[in-house]
Amino acid sequence: MTIGSLLKKYRLEQGKTQAKFVGKIISRSHYAKVENDQHQINVRDLVTLLNYNGIDLSDFFMQINETYESYKEQILHQRKLMEQAYYKVDIDQMQKIKQIINTSKLSENDKKMQNLLVDGFMELLNVDGKSNHALRKELKEKIFDIPEFNKTKFMLYCNSMRFYSFQDNKIITRKLVKNIDQLRI
């Protein structure tokens, strides 16, 4: 469960419209996007919204934490399946993993990221000998869209380093070595 879906659950339990639930804290249109996991809400507005609707902060965040741990486990499990299929060179399993991802309860952004990883693994296997330059470009752009070297960026980079030129790899590796203590791998 995401923050948006949990807010929606509380709102529906209280029998309120979105407009009544948010009052004048944030716009109803922004809130609608928060509920649909298309936008994020800042902490100040979230806490104000919870207080405004009489929702206990600790209960709310405890539910988010439990959900987050389960959500994180789901992502990690899918990634482990990807790695296993990659090392077994099992394209059929990769396709099944895509189905698992697409039917999961992950947010659309996380589904896109997971699918991009699967596509990247399949491109690395490149069983038909044809390079997908658009996919390679998307992977490289995605890596640079992630603001800092975290585990996801590190995994993306390591699994797609052969898509980069030697010079690009030198630059990225230097940044990586410089920030290695932040990775906590």
Side-chain angles (χ1 to χ4, degrees):
M1 186 173 289
T2 62
I3 288 174
S5 60
L6 187 55
L7 285 170
K8 183 177 183 177
K9 176 182 166 257
Y10 275 104
R11 179 180 64 78
L12 293 174
E13 285 174 358
Q14 293 182 8
K16 292 181 178 178
T17 64
Q18 289 179 340
K20 285 188 179 188
F21 193 74
V22 298
K24 294 183 180 184
I25 299 165
I26 59 174
S27 72
R28 195 216 48 85
S29 62
H30 178 76
Y31 177 76
K33 291 177 182 176
V34 170
E35 272 194 7
N36 291 318
D37 297 319
Q38 295 171 338
H39 279 285
Q40 295 181 355
I41 185 170
N42 69 48
V43 174
R44 184 188 70 235
D45 290 341
L46 176 60
V47 170
T48 303
L49 191 63
L50 294 174
N51 287 330
Y52 176 75
N53 288 287
I55 299 167
D56 184 85
L57 275 76
S58 59
D59 288 344
F60 184 87
F61 287 111
M62 203 174 323
Q63 287 182 60
I64 289 295
N65 187 46
E66 289 172 10
T67 302
Y68 175 74
E69 290 302 318
S70 171
Y71 192 87
K72 191 168 72 171
E73 287 171 15
Q74 186 177 10
I75 288 173
L76 293 174
H77 176 70
Q78 290 173 1
R79 290 188 182 170
K80 186 173 185 172
L81 292 174
M82 289 177 216
E83 291 170 11
Q84 290 171 347
Y86 172 74
Y87 291 119
K88 291 179 183 176
V89 190
D90 191 340
I91 299 295
D92 291 335
Q93 183 63 23
M94 290 283 191
Q95 294 297 340
K96 290 176 185 172
I97 295 167
K98 286 182 76 86
Q99 291 173 350
I100 291 168
I101 292 166
N102 292 328
T103 58
S104 72
K105 293 184 178 181
L106 296 179
S107 71
E108 290 307 310
N109 284 338
D110 284 334
K111 285 181 184 181
K112 284 179 189 175
M113 178 59 87
Q114 294 290 82
N115 277 307
L116 181 62
L117 289 171
V118 172
D119 291 339
F121 277 124
M122 290 194 308
E123 179 66 11
L124 287 167
L125 294 173
N126 199 2
V127 292
D128 62 3
K130 298 176 188 171
S131 295
N132 183 338
H133 295 290
L135 174 64
R136 289 177 181 212
K137 182 180 179 191
E138 184 180 0
L139 277 167
K140 289 178 358 181
E141 288 172 358
K142 184 52 117 180
I143 291 169
F144 284 106
D145 284 347
I146 301 171
E148 55 195 43
F149 259 99
N150 59 23
K151 288 181 184 181
T152 299
K153 186 170 185 171
F154 183 69
M155 183 176 136
L156 273 171
Y157 172 66
C158 287
N159 289 314
S160 61
M161 38 186 341
R162 68 178 169 184
F163 300 157
Y164 292 88
S165 69
F166 178 73
Q167 191 61 35
D168 289 342
N169 276 319
K170 277 178 56 177
I171 293 167
I172 295 168
T173 304
R174 282 187 185 131
K175 285 183 181 179
L176 179 61
V177 170
K178 183 179 175 185
N179 298 313
I180 197 75
D181 60 322
Q182 296 173 2
L183 285 176
R184 295 185 212 117
I185 299 175

